[in-house]
Amino acid sequence: MKEIAKFFLWLGVVGFGGPQAHIALMQQEAQQKRGWLTPEEFTEGLAVCNLLPGPASTQMTIYIGWMRGKLKGGLLAGFCFILPAFLMMLFLSWLYFTYGTLPQLAAFFYGLKPIVVGIVLATTWRLAKPSVGDWRFWLLVITSFALIAPRLLNDFLVFVGAALVGILLYSLIIPKPDGISKLNLFLPFLILYPAPFSNLIGKIKHLALSTQHSILSIGGLLDYSGDFMRLGQLAWFFLRAGALIFGGGLVIIPFVQNEVVAGFGWMTSQQFTDGVALGQATPGPVLVTSTFVGYAVAGLSGALVATVAIFAPGFVFILLAAPFLQKVKNWPYAKAALQGVNGAVVGSLLAGAYFIGLAAFLLPKQSAGGLEVGEGKILDPYTVIIGLIGTFLIVRYKVNTIWLFAVAGGAGILLSLLPFRLPGSGLPI
């Protein structure tokens, strides 16, 4: 338990860069260095976390904790990962609503983002390396990247499709179990004729969303008064939000914004936007934006209630799924589905590196110089250099990421303090 607490508190402090960076750090530190899981167990857990509702990186911490220490380990791992981000966001929320300003962290992240790209790319390679000769794996990787990078489909739908395609591609080489169950006959039908199954999923999701909006409408008619009722309102709203996250925490942000700003009127659109920026600026899960919203509504107690409520469903889902995964992962069709999702996981990590790279390397043009790549955008040479050096050090020498974060973030701050603007720099003025 001490090992779990120490590791995930550390991860919660240094886990900048979003879900892909968190997963990369977990693979590097928990699986590769500490040997808490085999590579197969890591990718299986990651596949399940991406198929479940809830923030995938937070659920992955719970899964690793469960593998290391069962129920107590899972609860402790998730709590320790969330705690640093919660405390930082609580402090920043107090600062924001007391002084009405957003702390200027852009210079620090100017140097940090390129390092995150390197971490994600290195992890992508480590996960892909065991399957380098498998054409089916690379077909799933390329297809998943091609669907996620241009945002044609969200991650959840891609993972579900990859699981079905995995059954089709990989079950052909898995020895048949003794006897043929009705389930074994039914699954190929779903793959060959997916339309009815897809329509059923669509109807279920539509019904869930309609029910949710109906509840919100009814709730809006009620007269909530007093701190207790506001806390109840926060808890109920964020429980529902946490149970409907598919494809990562950022997916739920537009829904939360609509209800928090227009539905309940808890804060202005600008305040919410600033809260999301703070959620991305702090280490750990981006869903600590709920802490910011809760603090705006009911202070410290509101922040605590909102944070617990939005993460609680994820704890429940993964702690129920982890034992089930151990029982079914060797079933032929389950194993084939997980192999399919593994390809989608690598494709989604590549897409994550692509999105982070756009933010790290293509910056607003604020001075002469730099390679223009679009209206108002330049390819910033300094972040490219930082990213290349960071990637080389991670892959070749396995340099500890905390040192890379410190040096790169410090370099960004130093560059911002220079009395002159570097040519082509995207640093904020």
Side-chain angles (χ1 to χ4, degrees), residues 96-97 216 219-220 222-241 255-272 289-299 302-303 305-307 309-310:
Y96 180 88
F97 288 107
L216 286 172
L222 300 178
D223 181 22
Y224 287 94
S225 61
D227 289 342
F228 180 78
M229 296 304 292
R230 283 198 299 272
L231 291 176
Q233 194 176 23
L234 275 169
W236 180 234
F237 171 72
F238 280 111
L239 275 171
R240 295 195 310 277
F255 164 72
V256 175
Q257 180 178 17
N258 182 57
E259 299 300 335
V260 164
V261 176
F264 295 109
W266 284 335
M267 56 177 54
T268 66
S269 179
Q270 183 59 52
Q271 287 175 329
F272 183 82
T289 300
S290 60
T291 306
F292 182 84
V293 176
Y295 187 90
V297 175
V305 167
T307 305
I310 201 166

Side-chain angles (χ1 to χ4, degrees), residues 36 48 102 162 237 285 352 355 360 409 416:
W36 288 358
V48 170
L102 181 65
F237 171 72
F355 291 131
S416 71

Side-chain angles (χ1 to χ4, degrees), residues 20-288:
Q20 289 81 14
H22 304 158
I23 291 166
L25 288 170
M26 283 183 264
Q27 191 276 334
Q28 179 181 321
E29 298 293 334
Q31 186 264 306
Q32 194 173 46
K33 287 187 179 181
R34 290 168 173 79
W36 288 358
L37 306 88
T38 65
E40 292 76 17
E41 288 172 337
F42 184 88
T43 52
E44 288 164 359
L46 189 54
V48 170
C49 290
N50 279 290
L51 286 170
L52 291 172
S57 62
T58 303
Q59 288 180 315
M60 193 62 190
T61 66
I62 301 167
Y63 171 78
I64 294 173
W66 186 89
M67 292 291 291
R68 187 69 174 163
K70 299 306 177 185
L71 179 61
K72 290 181 180 179
L75 292 171
L76 182 62
F79 173 79
C80 290
F81 177 62
I82 296 167
L83 182 61
F86 169 74
L87 294 176
M88 292 182 203
M89 179 59 89
L90 192 63
F91 172 73
L92 292 174
S93 299
W94 170 80
L95 201 65
Y96 180 88
F97 288 107
T98 301
Y99 297 102
T101 58
L102 181 65
Q104 298 303 308
L105 300 173
F108 179 75
F109 284 94
Y110 172 80
L112 194 67
K113 286 180 181 178
I115 298 298
V116 173
V117 176
I119 293 171
V120 175
L121 287 176
T123 296
T124 302
W125 169 243
R126 285 194 292 267
L127 292 177
K129 197 173 180 180
S131 303
V132 70
D134 187 349
W135 67 267
R136 295 162 297 184
F137 173 81
W138 289 106
L139 175 65
L140 287 161
V141 170
I142 295 169
T143 303
S144 299
F145 176 82
L147 291 172
I148 295 173
R151 302 186 190 277
L152 297 177
L153 288 176
N154 67 34
D155 294 26
F156 171 69
L157 293 177
V158 172
F159 289 126
V160 171
L164 296 176
V165 174
I167 295 172
L168 179 64
L169 293 178
Y170 287 98
S171 63
L172 298 177
I173 63 171
I174 298 176
K176 294 181 180 179
D178 295 335
I180 301 177
S181 67
K182 292 181 179 179
L183 178 63
N184 291 339
L185 293 171
F186 183 60
L187 281 173
F189 173 81
L190 295 181
I191 298 166
L192 295 173
Y193 303 97
F197 187 61
S198 301
N199 290 337
L200 178 61
I201 292 177
K203 289 177 181 179
I204 293 173
K205 290 182 70 176
H206 178 73
L207 178 62
L209 289 173
S210 299
T211 304
Q212 173 182 290
H213 286 300
S214 299
I215 293 172
L216 286 172
S217 299
I218 295 171
L221 298 176
L222 300 178
D223 181 22
Y224 287 94
S225 61
D227 289 342
F228 180 78
M229 296 304 292
R230 283 198 299 272
L231 291 176
Q233 194 176 23
L234 275 169
W236 180 234
F237 171 72
F238 280 111
L239 275 171
R240 295 195 310 277
L244 290 173
I245 300 170
F246 282 100
L250 288 174
V251 175
I252 203 69
I253 292 298
F255 164 72
V256 175
Q257 180 178 17
N258 182 57
E259 299 300 335
V260 164
V261 176
F264 295 109
W266 284 335
M267 56 177 54
T268 66
S269 179
Q270 183 59 52
Q271 287 175 329
F272 183 82
T273 301
D274 290 344
V276 173
L278 287 176
Q280 293 178 296
T282 53
V286 73
L287 284 184
V288 290

